[in-house]
PDB file of all heavy atoms in Angstrom:
ATOM      1  N   ALA A 296       6.970  18.499  35.140  1.00  0.00           N
ATOM      2  CA  ALA A 296       5.574  18.559  35.590  1.00  0.00           C
ATOM      3  C   ALA A 296       4.824  17.301  35.197  1.00  0.00           C
ATOM      4  O   ALA A 296       3.635  17.175  35.489  1.00  0.00           O
ATOM      5  CB  ALA A 296       4.886  19.789  34.997  1.00  0.00           C
ATOM      6  N   VAL A 299       0.835  17.444  31.918  1.00  0.00           N
ATOM      7  CA  VAL A 299      -0.307  18.046  32.610  1.00  0.00           C
ATOM      8  C   VAL A 299      -1.533  18.185  31.729  1.00  0.00           C
ATOM      9  O   VAL A 299      -2.645  18.319  32.234  1.00  0.00           O
ATOM     10  CB  VAL A 299       0.071  19.422  33.203  1.00  0.00           C
ATOM     11  CG1 VAL A 299       1.186  19.285  34.224  1.00  0.00           C
ATOM     12  CG2 VAL A 299       0.442  20.424  32.110  1.00  0.00           C
ATOM     13  N   VAL A 308       7.843  22.727  35.157  1.00  0.00           N
ATOM     14  CA  VAL A 308       7.410  23.809  36.037  1.00  0.00           C
ATOM     15  C   VAL A 308       8.666  24.458  36.612  1.00  0.00           C
ATOM     16  O   VAL A 308       9.604  23.781  37.021  1.00  0.00           O
ATOM     17  CB  VAL A 308       6.457  23.304  37.148  1.00  0.00           C
ATOM     18  CG1 VAL A 308       7.059  22.175  37.958  1.00  0.00           C
ATOM     19  CG2 VAL A 308       6.020  24.455  38.064  1.00  0.00           C
ATOM     20  N   ALA A 325       5.279  30.406  40.024  1.00  0.00           N
ATOM     21  CA  ALA A 325       5.590  29.078  39.487  1.00  0.00           C
ATOM     22  C   ALA A 325       4.979  29.024  38.097  1.00  0.00           C
ATOM     23  O   ALA A 325       3.772  29.214  37.938  1.00  0.00           O
ATOM     24  CB  ALA A 325       5.024  27.976  40.369  1.00  0.00           C
ATOM     25  N   VAL A 327       4.411  27.145  34.354  1.00  0.00           N
ATOM     26  CA  VAL A 327       4.344  25.877  33.625  1.00  0.00           C
ATOM     27  C   VAL A 327       4.549  26.149  32.146  1.00  0.00           C
ATOM     28  O   VAL A 327       3.888  27.013  31.560  1.00  0.00           O
ATOM     29  CB  VAL A 327       2.994  25.177  33.856  1.00  0.00           C
ATOM     30  CG1 VAL A 327       2.925  23.874  33.057  1.00  0.00           C
ATOM     31  CG2 VAL A 327       2.789  24.892  35.346  1.00  0.00           C
ATOM     32  N   ARG A 341       0.950  28.590  31.860  1.00  0.00           N
ATOM     33  CA  ARG A 341       0.274  29.020  33.081  1.00  0.00           C
ATOM     34  C   ARG A 341       1.300  29.646  34.017  1.00  0.00           C
ATOM     35  O   ARG A 341       2.376  29.067  34.237  1.00  0.00           O
ATOM     36  CB  ARG A 341      -0.393  27.844  33.788  1.00  0.00           C
ATOM     37  CG  ARG A 341      -1.044  28.182  35.118  1.00  0.00           C
ATOM     38  CD  ARG A 341      -2.340  28.963  34.930  1.00  0.00           C
ATOM     39  NE  ARG A 341      -3.385  28.114  34.367  1.00  0.00           N
ATOM     40  CZ  ARG A 341      -4.473  28.596  33.772  1.00  0.00           C
ATOM     41  NH1 ARG A 341      -4.645  29.901  33.661  1.00  0.00           N
ATOM     42  NH2 ARG A 341      -5.392  27.759  33.283  1.00  0.00           N
ATOM     43  N   VAL A 342       0.992  30.828  34.543  1.00  0.00           N
ATOM     44  CA  VAL A 342       1.815  31.455  35.572  1.00  0.00           C
ATOM     45  C   VAL A 342       0.994  31.525  36.848  1.00  0.00           C
ATOM     46  O   VAL A 342      -0.041  32.206  36.905  1.00  0.00           O
ATOM     47  CB  VAL A 342       2.274  32.868  35.152  1.00  0.00           C
ATOM     48  CG1 VAL A 342       3.140  33.476  36.263  1.00  0.00           C
ATOM     49  CG2 VAL A 342       3.061  32.825  33.845  1.00  0.00           C
ATOM     50  N   LEU A 343       1.442  30.798  37.851  1.00  0.00           N
ATOM     51  CA  LEU A 343       0.789  30.796  39.164  1.00  0.00           C
ATOM     52  C   LEU A 343       1.533  31.782  40.059  1.00  0.00           C
ATOM     53  O   LEU A 343       2.766  31.873  40.005  1.00  0.00           O
ATOM     54  CB  LEU A 343       0.828  29.386  39.757  1.00  0.00           C
ATOM     55  CG  LEU A 343       0.256  28.284  38.845  1.00  0.00           C
ATOM     56  CD1 LEU A 343       0.601  26.907  39.395  1.00  0.00           C
ATOM     57  CD2 LEU A 343      -1.247  28.445  38.702  1.00  0.00           C
ATOM     58  N   GLU A 344       0.799  32.509  40.896  1.00  0.00           N
ATOM     59  CA  GLU A 344       1.397  33.611  41.652  1.00  0.00           C
ATOM     60  C   GLU A 344       1.205  33.457  43.152  1.00  0.00           C
ATOM     61  O   GLU A 344       0.161  32.977  43.614  1.00  0.00           O
ATOM     62  CB  GLU A 344       0.774  34.944  41.207  1.00  0.00           C
ATOM     63  CG  GLU A 344       0.946  35.259  39.741  1.00  0.00           C
ATOM     64  CD  GLU A 344       0.292  36.578  39.359  1.00  0.00           C
ATOM     65  OE1 GLU A 344      -0.409  37.178  40.226  1.00  0.00           O
ATOM     66  OE2 GLU A 344       0.478  37.019  38.204  1.00  0.00           O
ATOM     67  N   GLY A 345       2.213  33.896  43.894  1.00  0.00           N
ATOM     68  CA  GLY A 345       2.073  34.008  45.336  1.00  0.00           C
ATOM     69  C   GLY A 345       1.083  35.090  45.691  1.00  0.00           C
ATOM     70  O   GLY A 345       0.976  36.108  44.987  1.00  0.00           O
ATOM     71  N   PHE A 352       6.418  31.973  47.057  1.00  0.00           N
ATOM     72  CA  PHE A 352       5.727  30.935  46.307  1.00  0.00           C
ATOM     73  C   PHE A 352       6.595  30.537  45.120  1.00  0.00           C
ATOM     74  O   PHE A 352       7.116  31.386  44.403  1.00  0.00           O
ATOM     75  CB  PHE A 352       4.383  31.499  45.840  1.00  0.00           C
ATOM     76  CG  PHE A 352       3.517  30.562  45.049  1.00  0.00           C
ATOM     77  CD1 PHE A 352       2.670  29.671  45.682  1.00  0.00           C
ATOM     78  CD2 PHE A 352       3.532  30.587  43.657  1.00  0.00           C
ATOM     79  CE1 PHE A 352       1.841  28.828  44.951  1.00  0.00           C
ATOM     80  CE2 PHE A 352       2.711  29.756  42.916  1.00  0.00           C
ATOM     81  CZ  PHE A 352       1.865  28.867  43.566  1.00  0.00           C
ATOM     82  N   GLY A 353       6.756  29.247  44.897  1.00  0.00           N
ATOM     83  CA  GLY A 353       7.622  28.769  43.830  1.00  0.00           C
ATOM     84  C   GLY A 353       9.043  28.522  44.282  1.00  0.00           C
ATOM     85  O   GLY A 353       9.882  28.105  43.478  1.00  0.00           O
ATOM     86  N   ALA A 357       7.434  20.772  42.200  1.00  0.00           N
ATOM     87  CA  ALA A 357       7.630  19.357  41.851  1.00  0.00           C
ATOM     88  C   ALA A 357       6.395  18.838  41.137  1.00  0.00           C
ATOM     89  O   ALA A 357       5.291  19.377  41.296  1.00  0.00           O
ATOM     90  CB  ALA A 357       7.896  18.513  43.094  1.00  0.00           C
ATOM     91  N   SER A 358       6.594  17.786  40.374  1.00  0.00           N
ATOM     92  CA  SER A 358       5.440  17.015  39.923  1.00  0.00           C
ATOM     93  C   SER A 358       4.820  16.354  41.145  1.00  0.00           C
ATOM     94  O   SER A 358       5.529  15.885  42.036  1.00  0.00           O
ATOM     95  CB  SER A 358       5.866  15.952  38.921  1.00  0.00           C
ATOM     96  OG  SER A 358       4.798  15.058  38.667  1.00  0.00           O
ATOM     97  N   ALA A 359       3.496  16.302  41.177  1.00  0.00           N
ATOM     98  CA  ALA A 359       2.804  15.584  42.251  1.00  0.00           C
ATOM     99  C   ALA A 359       2.412  14.190  41.802  1.00  0.00           C
ATOM    100  O   ALA A 359       1.794  13.449  42.564  1.00  0.00           O
ATOM    101  CB  ALA A 359       1.561  16.365  42.681  1.00  0.00           C
ATOM    102  N   GLY A 360       2.780  13.817  40.558  1.00  0.00           N
ATOM    103  CA  GLY A 360       2.257  12.578  39.991  1.00  0.00           C
ATOM    104  C   GLY A 360       0.816  12.806  39.556  1.00  0.00           C
ATOM    105  O   GLY A 360       0.428  13.918  39.174  1.00  0.00           O
ATOM    106  N   ASP A 361       0.020  11.769  39.621  1.00  0.00           N
ATOM    107  CA  ASP A 361      -1.411  11.882  39.285  1.00  0.00           C
ATOM    108  C   ASP A 361      -2.199  11.601  40.563  1.00  0.00           C
ATOM    109  O   ASP A 361      -2.547  10.468  40.872  1.00  0.00           O
ATOM    110  CB  ASP A 361      -1.775  10.885  38.185  1.00  0.00           C
ATOM    111  CG  ASP A 361      -3.227  11.002  37.730  1.00  0.00           C
ATOM    112  OD1 ASP A 361      -3.937  11.882  38.239  1.00  0.00           O
ATOM    113  OD2 ASP A 361      -3.638  10.198  36.869  1.00  0.00           O
ATOM    114  N   VAL A 362      -2.485  12.662  41.327  1.00  0.00           N
ATOM    115  CA  VAL A 362      -3.025  12.489  42.678  1.00  0.00           C
ATOM    116  C   VAL A 362      -4.492  12.094  42.687  1.00  0.00           C
ATOM    117  O   VAL A 362      -4.990  11.564  43.683  1.00  0.00           O
ATOM    118  CB  VAL A 362      -2.822  13.765  43.526  1.00  0.00           C
ATOM    119  CG1 VAL A 362      -1.345  14.078  43.677  1.00  0.00           C
ATOM    120  CG2 VAL A 362      -3.577  14.957  42.953  1.00  0.00           C
ATOM    121  N   ASN A 363      -5.219  12.354  41.569  1.00  0.00           N
ATOM    122  CA  ASN A 363      -6.642  11.999  41.541  1.00  0.00           C
ATOM    123  C   ASN A 363      -6.969  10.933  40.503  1.00  0.00           C
ATOM    124  O   ASN A 363      -8.142  10.630  40.271  1.00  0.00           O
ATOM    125  CB  ASN A 363      -7.505  13.249  41.314  1.00  0.00           C
ATOM    126  CG  ASN A 363      -7.162  13.966  40.022  1.00  0.00           C
ATOM    127  OD1 ASN A 363      -6.149  13.686  39.384  1.00  0.00           O
ATOM    128  ND2 ASN A 363      -8.006  14.915  39.640  1.00  0.00           N
ATOM    129  N   PHE A 367      -4.146  12.850  34.073  1.00  0.00           N
ATOM    130  CA  PHE A 367      -3.364  14.068  33.870  1.00  0.00           C
ATOM    131  C   PHE A 367      -2.408  14.256  35.043  1.00  0.00           C
ATOM    132  O   PHE A 367      -2.794  14.083  36.208  1.00  0.00           O
ATOM    133  CB  PHE A 367      -4.276  15.296  33.757  1.00  0.00           C
ATOM    134  CG  PHE A 367      -5.242  15.236  32.609  1.00  0.00           C
ATOM    135  CD1 PHE A 367      -6.575  14.905  32.822  1.00  0.00           C
ATOM    136  CD2 PHE A 367      -4.822  15.499  31.317  1.00  0.00           C
ATOM    137  CE1 PHE A 367      -7.477  14.852  31.769  1.00  0.00           C
ATOM    138  CE2 PHE A 367      -5.722  15.440  30.253  1.00  0.00           C
ATOM    139  CZ  PHE A 367      -7.041  15.109  30.477  1.00  0.00           C
ATOM    140  N   SER A 368      -1.167  14.639  34.742  1.00  0.00           N
ATOM    141  CA  SER A 368      -0.203  14.888  35.809  1.00  0.00           C
ATOM    142  C   SER A 368      -0.568  16.172  36.547  1.00  0.00           C
ATOM    143  O   SER A 368      -1.115  17.114  35.967  1.00  0.00           O
ATOM    144  CB  SER A 368       1.201  15.005  35.231  1.00  0.00           C
ATOM    145  OG  SER A 368       1.613  13.792  34.646  1.00  0.00           O
ATOM    146  N   ASP A 369      -0.229  16.205  37.829  1.00  0.00           N
ATOM    147  CA  ASP A 369      -0.504  17.346  38.694  1.00  0.00           C
ATOM    148  C   ASP A 369       0.824  17.894  39.221  1.00  0.00           C
ATOM    149  O   ASP A 369       1.868  17.253  39.095  1.00  0.00           O
ATOM    150  CB  ASP A 369      -1.409  16.912  39.846  1.00  0.00           C
ATOM    151  CG  ASP A 369      -2.629  16.140  39.353  1.00  0.00           C
ATOM    152  OD1 ASP A 369      -3.304  16.627  38.434  1.00  0.00           O
ATOM    153  OD2 ASP A 369      -2.872  15.024  39.863  1.00  0.00           O
ATOM    154  N   ILE A 370       0.802  19.081  39.821  1.00  0.00           N
ATOM    155  CA  ILE A 370       2.019  19.662  40.382  1.00  0.00           C
ATOM    156  C   ILE A 370       1.775  20.125  41.808  1.00  0.00           C
ATOM    157  O   ILE A 370       0.628  20.328  42.225  1.00  0.00           O
ATOM    158  CB  ILE A 370       2.552  20.841  39.538  1.00  0.00           C
ATOM    159  CG1 ILE A 370       1.571  22.021  39.549  1.00  0.00           C
ATOM    160  CG2 ILE A 370       2.853  20.389  38.110  1.00  0.00           C
ATOM    161  CD1 ILE A 370       2.152  23.288  38.926  1.00  0.00           C
ATOM    162  N   VAL A 371       2.866  20.304  42.547  1.00  0.00           N
ATOM    163  CA  VAL A 371       2.793  20.845  43.902  1.00  0.00           C
ATOM    164  C   VAL A 371       3.820  21.964  44.011  1.00  0.00           C
ATOM    165  O   VAL A 371       4.945  21.851  43.519  1.00  0.00           O
ATOM    166  CB  VAL A 371       3.034  19.741  44.963  1.00  0.00           C
ATOM    167  CG1 VAL A 371       4.344  19.001  44.740  1.00  0.00           C
ATOM    168  CG2 VAL A 371       2.966  20.310  46.379  1.00  0.00           C
ATOM    169  N   VAL A 372       3.408  23.074  44.632  1.00  0.00           N
ATOM    170  CA  VAL A 372       4.235  24.274  44.722  1.00  0.00           C
ATOM    171  C   VAL A 372       4.318  24.711  46.182  1.00  0.00           C
ATOM    172  O   VAL A 372       3.290  24.881  46.850  1.00  0.00           O
ATOM    173  CB  VAL A 372       3.658  25.429  43.868  1.00  0.00           C
ATOM    174  CG1 VAL A 372       4.556  26.659  43.956  1.00  0.00           C
ATOM    175  CG2 VAL A 372       3.485  24.994  42.418  1.00  0.00           C
ATOM    176  N   GLY A 373       5.532  24.909  46.667  1.00  0.00           N
ATOM    177  CA  GLY A 373       5.734  25.343  48.044  1.00  0.00           C
ATOM    178  C   GLY A 373       5.907  26.846  48.155  1.00  0.00           C
ATOM    179  O   GLY A 373       6.443  27.501  47.250  1.00  0.00           O
ATOM    180  N   ALA A 388       1.873  24.477  50.947  1.00  0.00           N
ATOM    181  CA  ALA A 388       2.170  23.663  49.766  1.00  0.00           C
ATOM    182  C   ALA A 388       0.856  23.499  49.020  1.00  0.00           C
ATOM    183  O   ALA A 388      -0.119  22.975  49.575  1.00  0.00           O
ATOM    184  CB  ALA A 388       2.750  22.316  50.156  1.00  0.00           C
ATOM    185  N   SER A 389       0.811  23.951  47.787  1.00  0.00           N
ATOM    186  CA  SER A 389      -0.433  23.964  47.006  1.00  0.00           C
ATOM    187  C   SER A 389      -0.361  22.948  45.877  1.00  0.00           C
ATOM    188  O   SER A 389       0.628  22.899  45.139  1.00  0.00           O
ATOM    189  CB  SER A 389      -0.676  25.355  46.423  1.00  0.00           C
ATOM    190  OG  SER A 389      -0.786  26.327  47.457  1.00  0.00           O
ATOM    191  N   VAL A 390      -1.406  22.165  45.738  1.00  0.00           N
ATOM    192  CA  VAL A 390      -1.499  21.147  44.691  1.00  0.00           C
ATOM    193  C   VAL A 390      -2.449  21.644  43.618  1.00  0.00           C
ATOM    194  O   VAL A 390      -3.596  22.012  43.891  1.00  0.00           O
ATOM    195  CB  VAL A 390      -1.993  19.802  45.259  1.00  0.00           C
ATOM    196  CG1 VAL A 390      -2.096  18.760  44.150  1.00  0.00           C
ATOM    197  CG2 VAL A 390      -1.059  19.312  46.367  1.00  0.00           C
ATOM    198  N   PHE A 391      -1.957  21.658  42.372  1.00  0.00           N
ATOM    199  CA  PHE A 391      -2.738  22.102  41.218  1.00  0.00           C
ATOM    200  C   PHE A 391      -2.952  20.916  40.288  1.00  0.00           C
ATOM    201  O   PHE A 391      -1.993  20.215  39.939  1.00  0.00           O
ATOM    202  CB  PHE A 391      -2.014  23.218  40.463  1.00  0.00           C
ATOM    203  CG  PHE A 391      -1.827  24.484  41.257  1.00  0.00           C
ATOM    204  CD1 PHE A 391      -0.766  24.610  42.141  1.00  0.00           C
ATOM    205  CD2 PHE A 391      -2.712  25.546  41.125  1.00  0.00           C
ATOM    206  CE1 PHE A 391      -0.571  25.775  42.873  1.00  0.00           C
ATOM    207  CE2 PHE A 391      -2.538  26.719  41.862  1.00  0.00           C
ATOM    208  CZ  PHE A 391      -1.465  26.824  42.746  1.00  0.00           C
ATOM    209  N   HIS A 392      -4.183  20.686  39.879  1.00  0.00           N
ATOM    210  CA  HIS A 392      -4.505  19.553  39.018  1.00  0.00           C
ATOM    211  C   HIS A 392      -4.255  19.871  37.547  1.00  0.00           C
ATOM    212  O   HIS A 392      -4.443  21.008  37.096  1.00  0.00           O
ATOM    213  CB  HIS A 392      -5.970  19.151  39.187  1.00  0.00           C
ATOM    214  CG  HIS A 392      -6.259  18.486  40.492  1.00  0.00           C
ATOM    215  ND1 HIS A 392      -7.545  18.216  40.924  1.00  0.00           N
ATOM    216  CD2 HIS A 392      -5.433  18.017  41.466  1.00  0.00           C
ATOM    217  CE1 HIS A 392      -7.494  17.623  42.116  1.00  0.00           C
ATOM    218  NE2 HIS A 392      -6.225  17.498  42.453  1.00  0.00           N
ATOM    219  N   GLY A 393      -3.847  18.837  36.807  1.00  0.00           N
ATOM    220  CA  GLY A 393      -3.801  18.930  35.360  1.00  0.00           C
ATOM    221  C   GLY A 393      -5.163  18.670  34.766  1.00  0.00           C
ATOM    222  O   GLY A 393      -6.087  18.195  35.426  1.00  0.00           O
ATOM    223  N   SER A 394      -5.302  18.984  33.471  1.00  0.00           N
ATOM    224  CA  SER A 394      -6.577  18.797  32.763  1.00  0.00           C
ATOM    225  C   SER A 394      -6.282  18.813  31.271  1.00  0.00           C
ATOM    226  O   SER A 394      -5.129  19.008  30.854  1.00  0.00           O
ATOM    227  CB  SER A 394      -7.557  19.918  33.105  1.00  0.00           C
ATOM    228  OG  SER A 394      -7.121  21.141  32.518  1.00  0.00           O
ATOM    229  N   GLY A 397      -4.479  21.839  30.534  1.00  0.00           N
ATOM    230  CA  GLY A 397      -3.259  22.095  31.289  1.00  0.00           C
ATOM    231  C   GLY A 397      -3.537  22.310  32.766  1.00  0.00           C
ATOM    232  O   GLY A 397      -4.599  21.950  33.286  1.00  0.00           O
ATOM    233  N   ILE A 398      -2.575  22.875  33.454  1.00  0.00           N
ATOM    234  CA  ILE A 398      -2.700  23.091  34.898  1.00  0.00           C
ATOM    235  C   ILE A 398      -3.794  24.112  35.191  1.00  0.00           C
ATOM    236  O   ILE A 398      -3.868  25.178  34.563  1.00  0.00           O
ATOM    237  CB  ILE A 398      -1.353  23.579  35.483  1.00  0.00           C
ATOM    238  CG1 ILE A 398      -0.363  22.416  35.555  1.00  0.00           C
ATOM    239  CG2 ILE A 398      -1.526  24.202  36.859  1.00  0.00           C
ATOM    240  CD1 ILE A 398      -0.752  21.311  36.524  1.00  0.00           C
ATOM    241  N   GLU A 399      -4.640  23.753  36.132  1.00  0.00           N
ATOM    242  CA  GLU A 399      -5.726  24.654  36.495  1.00  0.00           C
ATOM    243  C   GLU A 399      -5.197  25.876  37.244  1.00  0.00           C
ATOM    244  O   GLU A 399      -4.170  25.827  37.911  1.00  0.00           O
ATOM    245  CB  GLU A 399      -6.759  23.895  37.328  1.00  0.00           C
ATOM    246  CG  GLU A 399      -7.420  22.773  36.519  1.00  0.00           C
ATOM    247  CD  GLU A 399      -8.417  21.964  37.322  1.00  0.00           C
ATOM    248  OE1 GLU A 399      -8.485  22.161  38.555  1.00  0.00           O
ATOM    249  OE2 GLU A 399      -9.117  21.122  36.724  1.00  0.00           O
ATOM    250  N   GLU A 400      -5.919  26.962  37.140  1.00  0.00           N
ATOM    251  CA  GLU A 400      -5.455  28.234  37.689  1.00  0.00           C
ATOM    252  C   GLU A 400      -5.550  28.280  39.210  1.00  0.00           C
ATOM    253  O   GLU A 400      -4.763  28.953  39.884  1.00  0.00           O
ATOM    254  CB  GLU A 400      -6.277  29.377  37.079  1.00  0.00           C
ATOM    255  CG  GLU A 400      -5.765  30.750  37.416  1.00  0.00           C
ATOM    256  CD  GLU A 400      -6.485  31.833  36.637  1.00  0.00           C
ATOM    257  OE1 GLU A 400      -7.459  31.511  35.922  1.00  0.00           O
ATOM    258  OE2 GLU A 400      -6.069  32.999  36.746  1.00  0.00           O
ATOM    259  N   THR A 401      -6.503  27.556  39.754  1.00  0.00           N
ATOM    260  CA  THR A 401      -6.746  27.573  41.201  1.00  0.00           C
ATOM    261  C   THR A 401      -6.288  26.267  41.828  1.00  0.00           C
ATOM    262  O   THR A 401      -6.534  25.191  41.277  1.00  0.00           O
ATOM    263  CB  THR A 401      -8.243  27.789  41.483  1.00  0.00           C
ATOM    264  OG1 THR A 401      -8.663  29.001  40.849  1.00  0.00           O
ATOM    265  CG2 THR A 401      -8.507  27.878  42.985  1.00  0.00           C
ATOM    266  N   ALA A 402      -5.648  26.362  42.966  1.00  0.00           N
ATOM    267  CA  ALA A 402      -5.187  25.155  43.659  1.00  0.00           C
ATOM    268  C   ALA A 402      -6.371  24.284  44.067  1.00  0.00           C
ATOM    269  O   ALA A 402      -7.382  24.785  44.564  1.00  0.00           O
ATOM    270  CB  ALA A 402      -4.382  25.536  44.889  1.00  0.00           C
ATOM    271  N   ALA A 403      -6.226  22.985  43.826  1.00  0.00           N
ATOM    272  CA  ALA A 403      -7.248  22.042  44.274  1.00  0.00           C
ATOM    273  C   ALA A 403      -7.141  21.802  45.771  1.00  0.00           C
ATOM    274  O   ALA A 403      -8.127  21.450  46.424  1.00  0.00           O
ATOM    275  CB  ALA A 403      -7.094  20.724  43.515  1.00  0.00           C
ATOM    276  N   ARG A 404      -5.935  21.969  46.305  1.00  0.00           N
ATOM    277  CA  ARG A 404      -5.720  21.811  47.747  1.00  0.00           C
ATOM    278  C   ARG A 404      -4.524  22.653  48.157  1.00  0.00           C
ATOM    279  O   ARG A 404      -3.484  22.612  47.500  1.00  0.00           O
ATOM    280  CB  ARG A 404      -5.444  20.352  48.107  1.00  0.00           C
ATOM    281  CG  ARG A 404      -5.123  20.101  49.582  1.00  0.00           C
ATOM    282  CD  ARG A 404      -6.366  20.173  50.453  1.00  0.00           C
ATOM    283  NE  ARG A 404      -7.252  19.048  50.185  1.00  0.00           N
ATOM    284  CZ  ARG A 404      -8.519  19.010  50.571  1.00  0.00           C
ATOM    285  NH1 ARG A 404      -9.051  20.044  51.224  1.00  0.00           N
ATOM    286  NH2 ARG A 404      -9.270  17.963  50.289  1.00  0.00           N
ATOM    287  N   THR A 405      -4.682  23.453  49.209  1.00  0.00           N
ATOM    288  CA  THR A 405      -3.565  24.171  49.802  1.00  0.00           C
ATOM    289  C   THR A 405      -3.353  23.658  51.217  1.00  0.00           C
ATOM    290  O   THR A 405      -4.232  23.787  52.078  1.00  0.00           O
ATOM    291  CB  THR A 405      -3.804  25.691  49.811  1.00  0.00           C
ATOM    292  OG1 THR A 405      -3.886  26.155  48.456  1.00  0.00           O
ATOM    293  CG2 THR A 405      -2.644  26.406  50.491  1.00  0.00           C
ATOM    294  N   VAL A 433       1.918  12.839  48.083  1.00  0.00           N
ATOM    295  CA  VAL A 433       2.955  13.862  48.133  1.00  0.00           C
ATOM    296  C   VAL A 433       3.587  13.901  49.523  1.00  0.00           C
ATOM    297  O   VAL A 433       2.984  13.485  50.516  1.00  0.00           O
ATOM    298  CB  VAL A 433       2.423  15.271  47.768  1.00  0.00           C
ATOM    299  CG1 VAL A 433       1.849  15.288  46.360  1.00  0.00           C
ATOM    300  CG2 VAL A 433       1.422  15.783  48.774  1.00  0.00           C
ATOM    301  N   ILE A 460      -5.534  15.293  46.644  1.00  0.00           N
ATOM    302  CA  ILE A 460      -4.772  15.164  47.891  1.00  0.00           C
ATOM    303  C   ILE A 460      -5.666  15.437  49.092  1.00  0.00           C
ATOM    304  O   ILE A 460      -6.426  16.417  49.121  1.00  0.00           O
ATOM    305  CB  ILE A 460      -3.570  16.134  47.883  1.00  0.00           C
ATOM    306  CG1 ILE A 460      -2.495  15.623  46.930  1.00  0.00           C
ATOM    307  CG2 ILE A 460      -2.986  16.314  49.275  1.00  0.00           C
ATOM    308  CD1 ILE A 460      -1.853  14.315  47.319  1.00  0.00           C
TER     309      ILE A 460
END
Side-chain angles (χ1 to χ4, degrees):
V299 299
V308 55
V327 178
R341 176 74 70 199
V342 180
L343 306 168
E344 301 179 353
F352 180 85
S358 170
D361 183 2
V362 299
N363 59 348
F367 299 102
S368 296
D369 310 310
I370 65 170
V371 55
V372 181
S389 300
V390 179
F391 296 83
H392 288 171
S394 70
I398 286 294
E399 296 178 351
E400 188 172 6
T401 303
R404 176 75 69 195
T405 296
V433 300
I460 287 295

